[in-house]
Amino acid sequence: MLRNSLQTILAVVTLSCVSIALVAAQEKKAVFDWMPALPEAQGFTQQGVERLVETLRERDTKCLLIVRNDKVVCEWYAPDFGPHKKHYSASLAKALVGGMSLLLALNDGLIGVDDPAEKYITQWQGDSTREGVTIRHLATHSSGVADAHNDSLGHFDIGGWKTRFWQREPDPFTISRDWAPMSFKPGTGYEYSNPGMALLSYCITAALQGGEHQDVRTLLRERIMRPIGVEDDDWSIGYGKTYSVDGMDMVANWGGGAFTARAVARIGRLMLRRGDWDGRRLFDAKWGRLVTSDAGTPEPYRGPGEGPTPRAGLAWWVNSDGVLKQLPKDAFMGAGAGNQILIVIPSMNMVVVRMGGQMQPDSFWGGIESCLVNPLMDAASKTSLAPYPPSPVIKDIEWAPMDSITRKAPGGDNWPITWADDGALYTAYGDGFGFEPFVEKKLSLGLVKVSGTPGAFRGENLRSSDIEQIGDGAKGKKASGLLMIDGVLYLLARNADNAQLAWSEDYGKTWQWAPWTFETSFGCPTFVQFGKNYAKARDEYVYLVSQDSDSAYETSDRMVMARVHQANIKDRKAYEFFQGLDDAGAPLWTKNLNQRGAMFEHPGRCYRSGITYNAGLKRYLWCQTLPGAAPRFSGGFGIYDAPEPWGPWTTVYFTELWDVGPGETSSFPPAWMSSDGQTCHLVFSGDDAFSVRKAVMRLNN
């Protein structure tokens, strides 16, 4: 019965979800809408989604909407509800109203995260009891402003507009401003506070004065809701009221909203895309990241009966410490009474909306975890955490057994590798002693020449005082990329105030260092590998990729790319940076490093990598280690493919926990690929060794 219901829903969604092209007099503008997809096509099992819907239906759920990769995986409504019906938001409004209005004020430079509240609440100036309260504190329930339910005030309910002070002061903004007491020193504790959120709305509204939109409702309507295609009838906020306080129009941001499920999901999509709405930027990405990141304030109380409360972002909740164990740590949420919830998971490119009644009477977050989050993640297949959809060419990888892995050069890691014109492979190790016979002292950068086949190879340590480095960890330069072109060996070294280039014209005997470094980003760059001596390259350029970070030890939300003509590798001014794609899908390049764009995105999980062109399959294969405590011994990695070095990327293989440690870096050397490209050998630094494992690419069709 449930399967039939879901299939019917999908059929209805198929008919109702359409994309409409509107041609205006001067421009062509696409109106976005989601398209439906079967769960299996987006990394879910049909049975798992059915179990999730059944679980929620039994727990007073009115609607459930799951969108992944801009495809509707599930859209379910109770019989007495429907897609065009608004549901009350409760404190989900704290994110949708409070968080979004704060984000816009930050974006416009009207307010600062650590501005003192008294800058905007002028009545507080000179009041020592309010000293030290900042915007950050108000947005994270760490201000010390007492909660609405406070006996010393005679008990009032600010969310329901009920108060014993009606006759004296009939609006909650003035109540919060003048009467809410302080329960602790700002920034030293946590107490969920509706008055604190009211004060945040007051501060934002004060900051808006003199601008085009002077109240929160108008600001959100004109800057967010209408631009993302939410009809005015599909949302309302502020309990339908506007209060005049100190000459300003005040709108509640702590509750009192009502939204359709799709209206909420569109806000989630905008936050997932960090302010980009199909090419139109509504706010700078850095502010989207800021408000949905751990704000660094005291963690919520998690005592008996409180459940697994997430940490605070700026008016959002974040799972940065993994308190919701099955939910990815990059997830962020808005949530309100009755378990009204919006969950955004950047690493899964997914938005989830659930509305209804409280799912578990004795625990707010415990109910969300056990009834929604855990069944949702259980419905996801193993590869569904991958940031990109499955490869259209490679179905999966069949790995040789663990006991077949060859490991040499114990203690060394890194192992960037290139195929030279003499037929040998040249590689480099970090924090080790090389191959046997070992070098006499531990090197942070040492060179090795590898010859032979994957099943029978040997390594020869190459000694050069010009290139060898010492210093464990970040204290010494380490190779992150090697490349041979026209008989010249090029090396990229990290831990060099980002990265530095060196080259050798005599197979590693002597080296010269470039007098420049990448000063911004490109903290761990590697070369895109083609064939022997860079044969079969797609053009006359050399390509570099790195996580968008100044350090090899920091993760990033995205990967970035540079290119340089083969004749000008030594000239920093000749480098260009990938900016994005034009309307025809062709890459755009810029000399301005600050204009660089993402050529791969995986929020918080972009780390070290190796990328190679597989000539047999005509696909680029990109191995990326997932950051972890000790990936050389345990952890996961992803392998992605694309027809061009800038994408579009799809997933070949993805695991959070491989059967062995994937190591800090890995790649597929072209020299050890079969002519048809289906048999490859992964070189990786698992177990701190030069490790080699056979991989067979199983193709689609």
Side-chain angles (χ1 to χ4, degrees):
M1 177 67 73
L2 181 56
R3 177 184 292 271
N4 293 335
S5 299
L6 286 175
Q7 290 174 342
T8 300
I9 291 164
L10 287 173
V12 172
V13 173
T14 302
L15 294 173
S16 63
C17 296
V18 293
S19 295
I20 305 170
L22 299 177
V23 182
Q26 300 295 327
E27 64 176 353
K28 182 178 180 181
K29 181 180 178 182
V31 177
F32 168 81
D33 205 348
W34 289 293
M35 298 299 289
L38 293 174
E40 288 85 351
Q42 299 303 321
F44 289 89
T45 64
Q46 180 80 23
Q47 295 81 3
V49 173
E50 290 175 0
R51 284 193 295 268
L52 171 61
V53 172
E54 184 64 26
T55 297
L56 294 179
R57 185 167 62 174
E58 294 174 351
R59 286 165 174 79
D60 195 18
T61 296
K62 297 298 184 182
C63 60
L64 171 68
L65 178 59
I66 303 172
V67 180
R68 180 144 198 245
N69 298 321
D70 267 346
K71 299 292 190 298
V72 176
V73 173
C74 176
E75 186 167 18
W76 179 87
Y77 297 95
D80 61 344
F81 208 69
H84 301 294
K85 190 169 184 178
K86 292 183 290 189
H87 195 282
Y88 71 87
S89 69
S91 288
L92 174 56
K94 288 181 171 63
L96 304 185
V97 183
M100 298 305 293
S101 58
L102 174 59
L103 189 160
L104 291 175
L106 290 167
N107 179 83
D108 295 351
L110 301 176
I111 204 166
V113 175
D114 294 307
D115 282 353
E118 66 179 22
K119 178 179 177 180
Y120 309 97
I121 309 172
T122 56
Q123 294 87 344
W124 281 15
Q125 294 174 6
D127 184 350
S128 60
T129 63
R130 316 285 183 170
E131 187 176 1
V133 177
T134 67
I135 299 301
R136 183 187 303 271
H137 296 147
L138 295 175
T140 58
H141 306 286
S142 62
S143 65
V145 174
D147 189 18
H149 299 280
N150 189 295
D151 290 338
S152 67
L153 294 178
H155 185 81
F156 64 89
D157 181 349
I158 197 170
W161 309 95
K162 300 172 184 176
T163 174
R164 293 183 181 178
F165 299 112
W166 270 121
Q167 301 304 315
R168 294 179 55 191
E169 192 67 54
D171 101 53
F173 296 97
T174 306
I175 291 171
S176 298
R177 187 192 69 195
D178 293 344
W179 296 331
M182 301 292 290
S183 55
F184 54 81
K185 183 179 179 181
T188 64
Y190 171 90
E191 181 181 337
Y192 193 85
S193 176
N194 280 327
M197 292 301 296
L199 292 168
L200 177 66
S201 187
Y202 186 104
C203 292
I204 293 169
T205 305
L208 294 175
Q209 299 310 294
E212 182 180 2
H213 310 304
Q214 299 188 34
D215 67 273
V216 166
R217 183 182 288 107
T218 305
L219 176 74
L220 294 179
R221 184 183 66 227
E222 301 301 324
R223 294 283 298 279
I224 298 293
M225 306 305 276
R226 287 180 176 174
I228 66 175
V230 177
E231 300 291 339
D232 291 354
D233 290 342
D234 289 343
W235 69 292
S236 64
I237 61 175
Y239 300 92
K241 301 176 183 291
T242 302
Y243 285 80
S244 180
V245 181
D246 300 330
M248 300 183 295
D249 290 335
M250 307 297 301
V251 179
N253 65 349
W254 60 87
F259 298 78
T260 65
R262 284 193 168 226
V264 175
R266 281 180 175 254
I267 297 173
R269 180 181 188 261
L270 178 65
M271 295 303 288
L272 175 70
R273 296 166 62 90
R274 305 300 191 194
D276 173 83
W277 193 263
D278 295 339
R280 181 182 179 186
R281 180 148 292 285
L282 303 185
F283 51 81
D284 193 293
K286 69 179 180 181
W287 300 115
R289 285 192 290 268
L290 178 69
V291 301
T292 56
S293 300
D294 188 340
T297 52
E299 71 176 33
Y301 176 68
R302 296 172 179 168
E306 293 294 322
T309 307
R311 291 189 66 88
L314 297 175
W316 292 83
W317 301 104
V318 300
N319 196 43
S320 57
D321 59 355
V323 67
L324 300 174
K325 296 181 177 59
Q326 291 197 46
L327 194 66
K329 290 184 178 181
D330 65 329
F332 56 90
M333 297 147 284
N339 291 153
Q340 323 311 322
I341 189 162
L342 164 65
I343 302 176
V344 180
I345 311 175
S347 59
M348 295 183 71
N349 199 23
M350 188 160 72
V351 175
V352 180
V353 178
R354 184 270 176 191
M355 292 176 166
Q358 184 111 340
M359 293 183 284
Q360 187 171 299
D362 58 345
S363 177
F364 178 84
W365 284 105
I368 291 173
E369 181 177 41
S370 63
C371 301
L372 175 60
V373 169
N374 292 351
L376 174 71
M377 300 311 296
D378 288 342
S381 63
K382 286 186 177 180
T383 60
S384 68
L385 290 175
Y388 289 90
S391 167
V393 176
I394 305 171
K395 183 176 182 180
D396 58 25
I397 296 179
E398 181 180 337
W399 297 103
M402 289 187 296
D403 57 11
S404 70
I405 298 173
T406 302
R407 301 187 192 277
K408 295 189 178 182
D413 60 10
N414 293 344
W415 307 115
I417 195 165
T418 193
W419 192 4
D421 60 353
D422 61 1
L425 294 169
Y426 286 77
T427 186
Y429 60 90
D431 295 343
F433 297 86
F435 279 67
E436 294 186 49
F438 302 128
V439 300
E440 70 282 356
K441 63 180 179 180
K442 187 177 184 180
L443 298 176
S444 69
L445 198 169
L447 296 173
V448 174
K449 177 181 179 180
V450 176
S451 56
T453 64
F457 63 87
R458 66 182 185 87
E460 174 190 354
N461 298 321
L462 301 178
R463 307 307 303 274
S464 172
S465 59
D466 298 333
I467 199 70
E468 289 182 354
Q469 304 286 317
I470 59 174
D472 289 345
K475 297 178 181 178
K477 290 181 181 178
K478 292 175 169 58
S480 58
L482 277 169
L483 184 67
M484 177 166 275
I485 302 179
D486 295 332
V488 179
L489 194 60
Y490 295 92
L491 181 146
L492 290 166
R494 58 181 173 88
N495 304 352
D497 292 330
N498 288 29
Q500 188 175 11
L501 179 72
W503 60 87
S504 171
E505 299 178 357
D506 54 10
Y507 298 92
K509 295 182 180 67
T510 60
W511 292 81
Q512 297 181 63
W513 287 94
W516 52 268
T517 64
F518 289 106
E519 297 178 352
T520 301
S521 187
F522 291 89
C524 190
T526 188
F527 291 110
V528 175
Q529 300 292 320
F530 286 92
K532 182 179 179 180
N533 197 30
Y534 212 60
K536 300 182 180 179
R538 69 177 312 279
D539 53 30
E540 296 182 350
Y541 285 89
V542 171
Y543 294 85
L544 296 73
V545 295
S546 172
Q547 72 259 46
D548 190 16
S549 171
D550 294 345
S551 169
Y553 300 89
E554 295 176 357
T555 62
S556 175
D557 290 345
R558 64 183 190 170
M559 293 287 194
V560 290
M561 171 174 278
R563 74 171 187 176
V564 63
H565 194 276
Q566 295 179 26
N568 301 316
I569 298 176
K570 302 171 187 177
D571 181 6
R572 167 63 183 84
K573 295 180 180 179
Y575 284 72
E576 299 176 316
F577 303 93
F578 178 78
Q579 190 172 15
L581 301 176
D582 64 16
D583 292 339
L588 299 172
W589 301 93
T590 176
K591 289 290 185 71
N592 187 344
L593 178 58
N594 293 325
Q595 294 178 359
R596 67 193 183 280
M599 43 82 70
F600 183 99
E601 294 184 271
H602 195 181
R605 311 204 79 183
C606 290
Y607 194 48
R608 303 177 192 176
S609 68
I611 185 169
T612 307
Y613 183 64
N614 184 315
L617 299 180
K618 296 181 173 56
R619 305 288 287 181
Y620 293 82
L621 297 179
W622 195 356
C623 303
Q624 295 188 26
T625 296
L626 298 178
R632 59 192 183 276
F633 302 123
S634 177
F637 72 118
I639 299 175
Y640 311 95
D641 69 332
E644 298 286 358
W646 47 80
W649 295 98
T650 51
T651 302
V652 173
Y653 182 85
F654 187 91
T655 179
E656 295 282 351
L657 186 64
W658 206 25
D659 54 0
V660 296
E664 299 281 357
T665 55
S666 58
S667 66
F668 290 111
W672 289 351
M673 292 179 178
S674 62
S675 59
D676 64 3
Q678 292 182 235
T679 301
C680 304
H681 290 81
L682 185 75
V683 172
F684 63 105
S685 58
D687 279 5
D688 271 0
F690 185 90
S691 302
V692 180
R693 189 175 194 178
K694 182 180 177 180
V696 176
M697 308 290 167
R698 297 177 57 199
L699 307 185
N700 288 310
N701 301 321

